[in-house]
PDB file of all heavy atoms in Angstrom:
ATOM      1  N   THR A1272     -38.480 -53.144 -99.286  1.00 79.00           N
ATOM      2  CA  THR A1272     -38.168 -53.327-100.713  1.00 79.00           C
ATOM      3  C   THR A1272     -39.341 -52.847-101.548  1.00 79.00           C
ATOM      4  O   THR A1272     -40.014 -53.639-102.219  1.00 79.00           O
ATOM      5  CB  THR A1272     -37.872 -54.805-101.018  1.00 79.00           C
ATOM      6  OG1 THR A1272     -38.978 -55.595-100.564  1.00 79.00           O
ATOM      7  CG2 THR A1272     -36.595 -55.260-100.354  1.00 79.00           C
ATOM      8  N   PRO A1273     -39.630 -51.555-101.525  1.00 81.00           N
ATOM      9  CA  PRO A1273     -40.845 -51.069-102.172  1.00 81.00           C
ATOM     10  C   PRO A1273     -40.736 -51.005-103.690  1.00 81.00           C
ATOM     11  O   PRO A1273     -39.690 -50.692-104.250  1.00 81.00           O
ATOM     12  CB  PRO A1273     -40.987 -49.664-101.584  1.00 81.00           C
ATOM     13  CG  PRO A1273     -39.583 -49.244-101.295  1.00 81.00           C
ATOM     14  CD  PRO A1273     -38.858 -50.488-100.869  1.00 81.00           C
ATOM     15  N   CYS A1274     -41.823 -51.311-104.359  1.00 83.00           N
ATOM     16  CA  CYS A1274     -41.938 -51.018-105.781  1.00 83.00           C
ATOM     17  C   CYS A1274     -43.335 -50.510-106.070  1.00 83.00           C
ATOM     18  O   CYS A1274     -44.287 -50.846-105.365  1.00 83.00           O
ATOM     19  CB  CYS A1274     -41.587 -52.222-106.653  1.00 83.00           C
ATOM     20  SG  CYS A1274     -42.692 -53.624-106.523  1.00 83.00           S
ATOM     21  N   VAL A1275     -43.442 -49.664-107.084  1.00 86.00           N
ATOM     22  CA  VAL A1275     -44.675 -48.952-107.401  1.00 86.00           C
ATOM     23  C   VAL A1275     -45.583 -49.853-108.231  1.00 86.00           C
ATOM     24  O   VAL A1275     -45.182 -50.375-109.277  1.00 86.00           O
ATOM     25  CB  VAL A1275     -44.381 -47.654-108.165  1.00 86.00           C
ATOM     26  CG1 VAL A1275     -45.673 -46.958-108.569  1.00 86.00           C
ATOM     27  CG2 VAL A1275     -43.510 -46.730-107.329  1.00 86.00           C
ATOM     28  N   LEU A1276     -46.833 -49.999-107.753  1.00 91.00           N
ATOM     29  CA  LEU A1276     -47.838 -50.742-108.506  1.00 91.00           C
ATOM     30  C   LEU A1276     -48.763 -49.819-109.289  1.00 91.00           C
ATOM     31  O   LEU A1276     -49.041 -50.064-110.465  1.00 91.00           O
ATOM     32  CB  LEU A1276     -48.680 -51.599-107.556  1.00 91.00           C
ATOM     33  CG  LEU A1276     -48.036 -52.877-107.017  1.00 91.00           C
ATOM     34  CD1 LEU A1276     -48.897 -53.465-105.911  1.00 91.00           C
ATOM     35  CD2 LEU A1276     -47.829 -53.885-108.130  1.00 91.00           C
ATOM     36  N   LYS A1277     -49.255 -48.762-108.639  1.00 92.00           N
ATOM     37  CA  LYS A1277     -50.240 -47.905-109.300  1.00 92.00           C
ATOM     38  C   LYS A1277     -50.263 -46.552-108.624  1.00 92.00           C
ATOM     39  O   LYS A1277     -50.027 -46.432-107.412  1.00 92.00           O
ATOM     40  CB  LYS A1277     -51.639 -48.537-109.206  1.00 92.00           C
ATOM     41  CG  LYS A1277     -52.634 -48.014-110.229  1.00 92.00           C
ATOM     42  CD  LYS A1277     -52.343 -48.557-111.623  1.00 92.00           C
ATOM     43  CE  LYS A1277     -53.414 -48.133-112.611  1.00 92.00           C
ATOM     44  NZ  LYS A1277     -53.108 -48.639-113.981  1.00 92.00           N
ATOM     45  N   LYS A1278     -50.581 -45.512-109.404  1.00 90.00           N
ATOM     46  CA  LYS A1278     -50.678 -44.159-108.867  1.00 90.00           C
ATOM     47  C   LYS A1278     -52.075 -43.610-109.124  1.00 90.00           C
ATOM     48  O   LYS A1278     -52.680 -43.873-110.156  1.00 90.00           O
ATOM     49  CB  LYS A1278     -49.653 -43.234-109.523  1.00 90.00           C
ATOM     50  CG  LYS A1278     -48.210 -43.685-109.362  1.00 90.00           C
ATOM     51  CD  LYS A1278     -47.271 -42.758-110.117  1.00 90.00           C
ATOM     52  CE  LYS A1278     -45.828 -43.255-110.037  1.00 90.00           C
ATOM     53  NZ  LYS A1278     -44.901 -42.379-110.794  1.00 90.00           N
ATOM     54  N   SER A1279     -52.568 -42.828-108.161  1.00 93.00           N
ATOM     55  CA  SER A1279     -53.854 -42.158-108.340  1.00 93.00           C
ATOM     56  C   SER A1279     -53.673 -40.932-109.222  1.00 93.00           C
ATOM     57  O   SER A1279     -52.547 -40.530-109.541  1.00 93.00           O
ATOM     58  CB  SER A1279     -54.423 -41.731-106.993  1.00 93.00           C
ATOM     59  OG  SER A1279     -53.711 -40.605-106.488  1.00 93.00           O
ATOM     60  N   ASN A1280     -54.771 -40.315-109.571  1.00 91.00           N
ATOM     61  CA  ASN A1280     -54.704 -39.020-110.228  1.00 91.00           C
ATOM     62  C   ASN A1280     -54.203 -37.975-109.236  1.00 91.00           C
ATOM     63  O   ASN A1280     -54.311 -38.130-108.025  1.00 91.00           O
ATOM     64  CB  ASN A1280     -56.080 -38.599-110.748  1.00 91.00           C
ATOM     65  CG  ASN A1280     -56.550 -39.472-111.890  1.00 91.00           C
ATOM     66  OD1 ASN A1280     -55.737 -40.007-112.656  1.00 91.00           O
ATOM     67  ND2 ASN A1280     -57.864 -39.628-112.010  1.00 91.00           N
ATOM     68  N   SER A1281     -53.663 -36.904-109.774  1.00 91.00           N
ATOM     69  CA  SER A1281     -53.210 -35.803-108.934  1.00 91.00           C
ATOM     70  C   SER A1281     -54.414 -35.077-108.347  1.00 91.00           C
ATOM     71  O   SER A1281     -55.443 -34.901-109.010  1.00 91.00           O
ATOM     72  CB  SER A1281     -52.373 -34.836-109.770  1.00 91.00           C
ATOM     73  OG  SER A1281     -52.014 -33.708-109.025  1.00 91.00           O
ATOM     74  N   LEU A1282     -54.273 -34.665-107.083  1.00 94.00           N
ATOM     75  CA  LEU A1282     -55.334 -33.938-106.389  1.00 94.00           C
ATOM     76  C   LEU A1282     -54.815 -32.577-105.960  1.00 94.00           C
ATOM     77  O   LEU A1282     -53.668 -32.448-105.522  1.00 94.00           O
ATOM     78  CB  LEU A1282     -55.796 -34.714-105.153  1.00 94.00           C
ATOM     79  CG  LEU A1282     -56.403 -36.093-105.422  1.00 94.00           C
ATOM     80  CD1 LEU A1282     -56.383 -36.920-104.153  1.00 94.00           C
ATOM     81  CD2 LEU A1282     -57.814 -35.950-105.937  1.00 94.00           C
ATOM     82  N   ASN A1283     -55.668 -31.565-106.083  1.00 95.00           N
ATOM     83  CA  ASN A1283     -55.273 -30.203-105.746  1.00 95.00           C
ATOM     84  C   ASN A1283     -56.100 -29.673-104.587  1.00 95.00           C
ATOM     85  O   ASN A1283     -57.265 -30.060-104.401  1.00 95.00           O
ATOM     86  CB  ASN A1283     -55.474 -29.280-106.960  1.00 95.00           C
ATOM     87  CG  ASN A1283     -54.615 -29.684-108.133  1.00 95.00           C
ATOM     88  OD1 ASN A1283     -53.400 -29.584-108.083  1.00 95.00           O
ATOM     89  ND2 ASN A1283     -55.251 -30.147-109.197  1.00 95.00           N
ATOM     90  N   PHE A1284     -55.510 -28.777-103.816  1.00 97.00           N
ATOM     91  CA  PHE A1284     -56.253 -28.095-102.774  1.00 97.00           C
ATOM     92  C   PHE A1284     -57.110 -26.996-103.395  1.00 97.00           C
ATOM     93  O   PHE A1284     -56.689 -26.326-104.349  1.00 97.00           O
ATOM     94  CB  PHE A1284     -55.305 -27.521-101.727  1.00 97.00           C
ATOM     95  CG  PHE A1284     -54.674 -28.586-100.878  1.00 97.00           C
ATOM     96  CD1 PHE A1284     -53.408 -29.076-101.180  1.00 97.00           C
ATOM     97  CD2 PHE A1284     -55.367 -29.132 -99.805  1.00 97.00           C
ATOM     98  CE1 PHE A1284     -52.839 -30.077-100.418  1.00 97.00           C
ATOM     99  CE2 PHE A1284     -54.803 -30.132 -99.029  1.00 97.00           C
ATOM    100  CZ  PHE A1284     -53.540 -30.616 -99.340  1.00 97.00           C
ATOM    101  N   ALA A1285     -58.329 -26.839-102.868  1.00 97.00           N
ATOM    102  CA  ALA A1285     -59.273 -25.882-103.440  1.00 97.00           C
ATOM    103  C   ALA A1285     -58.684 -24.477-103.464  1.00 97.00           C
ATOM    104  O   ALA A1285     -58.865 -23.731-104.424  1.00 97.00           O
ATOM    105  CB  ALA A1285     -60.584 -25.907-102.647  1.00 97.00           C
ATOM    106  N   ASN A1286     -57.979 -24.108-102.382  1.00 98.00           N
ATOM    107  CA  ASN A1286     -57.353 -22.786-102.323  1.00 98.00           C
ATOM    108  C   ASN A1286     -55.979 -22.894-101.691  1.00 98.00           C
ATOM    109  O   ASN A1286     -55.845 -22.784-100.470  1.00 98.00           O
ATOM    110  CB  ASN A1286     -58.223 -21.807-101.535  1.00 98.00           C
ATOM    111  CG  ASN A1286     -57.633 -20.399-101.517  1.00 98.00           C
ATOM    112  OD1 ASN A1286     -56.641 -20.121-102.191  1.00 98.00           O
ATOM    113  ND2 ASN A1286     -58.236 -19.508-100.749  1.00 98.00           N
ATOM    114  N   PRO A1287     -54.939 -23.124-102.516  1.00 97.00           N
ATOM    115  CA  PRO A1287     -53.584 -23.230-101.940  1.00 97.00           C
ATOM    116  C   PRO A1287     -53.090 -21.924-101.330  1.00 97.00           C
ATOM    117  O   PRO A1287     -52.100 -21.924-100.595  1.00 97.00           O
ATOM    118  CB  PRO A1287     -52.727 -23.643-103.138  1.00 97.00           C
ATOM    119  CG  PRO A1287     -53.506 -23.228-104.337  1.00 97.00           C
ATOM    120  CD  PRO A1287     -54.948 -23.332-103.970  1.00 97.00           C
ATOM    121  N   ASN A1288     -53.770 -20.817-101.597  1.00 98.00           N
ATOM    122  CA  ASN A1288     -53.382 -19.522-101.031  1.00 98.00           C
ATOM    123  C   ASN A1288     -54.088 -19.218 -99.713  1.00 98.00           C
ATOM    124  O   ASN A1288     -53.846 -18.173 -99.108  1.00 98.00           O
ATOM    125  CB  ASN A1288     -53.675 -18.396-102.018  1.00 98.00           C
ATOM    126  CG  ASN A1288     -52.786 -18.453-103.243  1.00 98.00           C
ATOM    127  OD1 ASN A1288     -51.683 -18.990-103.181  1.00 98.00           O
ATOM    128  ND2 ASN A1288     -53.262 -17.920-104.358  1.00 98.00           N
ATOM    129  N   GLN A1289     -54.960 -20.110 -99.267  1.00 98.00           N
ATOM    130  CA  GLN A1289     -55.766 -19.848 -98.070  1.00 98.00           C
ATOM    131  C   GLN A1289     -54.893 -19.500 -96.858  1.00 98.00           C
ATOM    132  O   GLN A1289     -53.941 -20.209 -96.548  1.00 98.00           O
ATOM    133  CB  GLN A1289     -56.597 -21.078 -97.738  1.00 98.00           C
ATOM    134  CG  GLN A1289     -57.468 -20.940 -96.507  1.00 98.00           C
ATOM    135  CD  GLN A1289     -58.601 -19.936 -96.689  1.00 98.00           C
ATOM    136  OE1 GLN A1289     -59.071 -19.730 -97.796  1.00 98.00           O
ATOM    137  NE2 GLN A1289     -59.014 -19.301 -95.614  1.00 98.00           N
ATOM    138  N   PRO A1290     -55.182 -18.407 -96.153  1.00 98.00           N
ATOM    139  CA  PRO A1290     -54.441 -18.080 -94.920  1.00 98.00           C
ATOM    140  C   PRO A1290     -54.803 -19.079 -93.823  1.00 98.00           C
ATOM    141  O   PRO A1290     -55.982 -19.250 -93.490  1.00 98.00           O
ATOM    142  CB  PRO A1290     -54.934 -16.674 -94.576  1.00 98.00           C
ATOM    143  CG  PRO A1290     -55.599 -16.166 -95.827  1.00 98.00           C
ATOM    144  CD  PRO A1290     -56.145 -17.364 -96.519  1.00 98.00           C
ATOM    145  N   LEU A1291     -53.791 -19.710 -93.249  1.00 98.00           N
ATOM    146  CA  LEU A1291     -54.013 -20.796 -92.303  1.00 98.00           C
ATOM    147  C   LEU A1291     -52.991 -20.760 -91.170  1.00 98.00           C
ATOM    148  O   LEU A1291     -51.956 -20.105 -91.259  1.00 98.00           O
ATOM    149  CB  LEU A1291     -53.914 -22.152 -93.005  1.00 98.00           C
ATOM    150  CG  LEU A1291     -54.991 -22.488 -94.041  1.00 98.00           C
ATOM    151  CD1 LEU A1291     -54.559 -23.684 -94.871  1.00 98.00           C
ATOM    152  CD2 LEU A1291     -56.327 -22.754 -93.371  1.00 98.00           C
ATOM    153  N   TYR A1292     -53.280 -21.542 -90.122  1.00 98.00           N
ATOM    154  CA  TYR A1292     -52.336 -21.898 -89.058  1.00 98.00           C
ATOM    155  C   TYR A1292     -51.835 -20.680 -88.283  1.00 98.00           C
ATOM    156  O   TYR A1292     -50.655 -20.553 -87.972  1.00 98.00           O
ATOM    157  CB  TYR A1292     -51.152 -22.695 -89.627  1.00 98.00           C
ATOM    158  CG  TYR A1292     -51.574 -23.765 -90.593  1.00 98.00           C
ATOM    159  CD1 TYR A1292     -50.891 -23.967 -91.794  1.00 98.00           C
ATOM    160  CD2 TYR A1292     -52.674 -24.574 -90.326  1.00 98.00           C
ATOM    161  CE1 TYR A1292     -51.291 -24.955 -92.682  1.00 98.00           C
ATOM    162  CE2 TYR A1292     -53.072 -25.554 -91.220  1.00 98.00           C
ATOM    163  CZ  TYR A1292     -52.388 -25.742 -92.402  1.00 98.00           C
ATOM    164  OH  TYR A1292     -52.796 -26.711 -93.283  1.00 98.00           O
ATOM    165  N   GLY A1293     -52.748 -19.779 -87.962  1.00 98.00           N
ATOM    166  CA  GLY A1293     -52.376 -18.593 -87.204  1.00 98.00           C
ATOM    167  C   GLY A1293     -51.917 -18.929 -85.786  1.00 98.00           C
ATOM    168  O   GLY A1293     -52.416 -19.869 -85.163  1.00 98.00           O
ATOM    169  N   HIS A1294     -50.947 -18.173 -85.305  1.00 98.00           N
ATOM    170  CA  HIS A1294     -50.526 -18.286 -83.909  1.00 98.00           C
ATOM    171  C   HIS A1294     -50.018 -16.932 -83.436  1.00 98.00           C
ATOM    172  O   HIS A1294     -49.401 -16.181 -84.188  1.00 98.00           O
ATOM    173  CB  HIS A1294     -49.462 -19.372 -83.718  1.00 98.00           C
ATOM    174  CG  HIS A1294     -48.341 -19.339 -84.705  1.00 98.00           C
ATOM    175  ND1 HIS A1294     -48.451 -19.807 -85.995  1.00 98.00           N
ATOM    176  CD2 HIS A1294     -47.069 -18.892 -84.600  1.00 98.00           C
ATOM    177  CE1 HIS A1294     -47.314 -19.653 -86.640  1.00 98.00           C
ATOM    178  NE2 HIS A1294     -46.458 -19.092 -85.815  1.00 98.00           N
ATOM    179  N   LEU A1295     -50.311 -16.630 -82.175  1.00 98.00           N
ATOM    180  CA  LEU A1295     -50.035 -15.328 -81.588  1.00 98.00           C
ATOM    181  C   LEU A1295     -48.750 -15.347 -80.776  1.00 98.00           C
ATOM    182  O   LEU A1295     -48.322 -16.394 -80.291  1.00 98.00           O
ATOM    183  CB  LEU A1295     -51.186 -14.932 -80.658  1.00 98.00           C
ATOM    184  CG  LEU A1295     -52.560 -14.745 -81.302  1.00 98.00           C
ATOM    185  CD1 LEU A1295     -53.655 -14.914 -80.259  1.00 98.00           C
ATOM    186  CD2 LEU A1295     -52.664 -13.373 -81.965  1.00 98.00           C
ATOM    187  N   SER A1296     -48.160 -14.183 -80.617  1.00 98.00           N
ATOM    188  CA  SER A1296     -47.017 -14.037 -79.709  1.00 98.00           C
ATOM    189  C   SER A1296     -46.931 -12.597 -79.250  1.00 98.00           C
ATOM    190  O   SER A1296     -47.425 -11.680 -79.913  1.00 98.00           O
ATOM    191  CB  SER A1296     -45.705 -14.456 -80.388  1.00 98.00           C
ATOM    192  OG  SER A1296     -45.447 -13.680 -81.542  1.00 98.00           O
ATOM    193  N   SER A1297     -46.308 -12.405 -78.091  1.00 98.00           N
ATOM    194  CA  SER A1297     -46.121 -11.059 -77.548  1.00 98.00           C
ATOM    195  C   SER A1297     -44.843 -10.449 -78.114  1.00 98.00           C
ATOM    196  O   SER A1297     -43.871 -11.161 -78.384  1.00 98.00           O
ATOM    197  CB  SER A1297     -46.041 -11.117 -76.027  1.00 98.00           C
ATOM    198  OG  SER A1297     -47.240 -11.610 -75.473  1.00 98.00           O
ATOM    199  N   ILE A1298     -44.827  -9.150 -78.278  1.00 98.00           N
ATOM    200  CA  ILE A1298     -43.626  -8.487 -78.782  1.00 98.00           C
ATOM    201  C   ILE A1298     -42.931  -7.675 -77.699  1.00 98.00           C
ATOM    202  O   ILE A1298     -41.787  -7.267 -77.862  1.00 98.00           O
ATOM    203  CB  ILE A1298     -43.930  -7.594 -79.997  1.00 98.00           C
ATOM    204  CG1 ILE A1298     -44.813  -6.414 -79.598  1.00 98.00           C
ATOM    205  CG2 ILE A1298     -44.586  -8.400 -81.106  1.00 98.00           C
ATOM    206  CD1 ILE A1298     -44.884  -5.338 -80.668  1.00 98.00           C
TER     207      ILE A1298
END
Side-chain angles (χ1 to χ4, degrees):
T1272 55
C1274 65
V1275 177
L1276 284 170
K1277 200 74 175 179
K1278 302 176 184 179
S1279 74
N1280 292 330
S1281 175
L1282 298 161
N1283 298 293
F1284 289 96
N1286 183 7
N1288 292 334
Q1289 179 68 29
L1291 293 166
Y1292 315 136
H1294 47 283
L1295 297 157
S1296 59
S1297 298
I1298 66 167

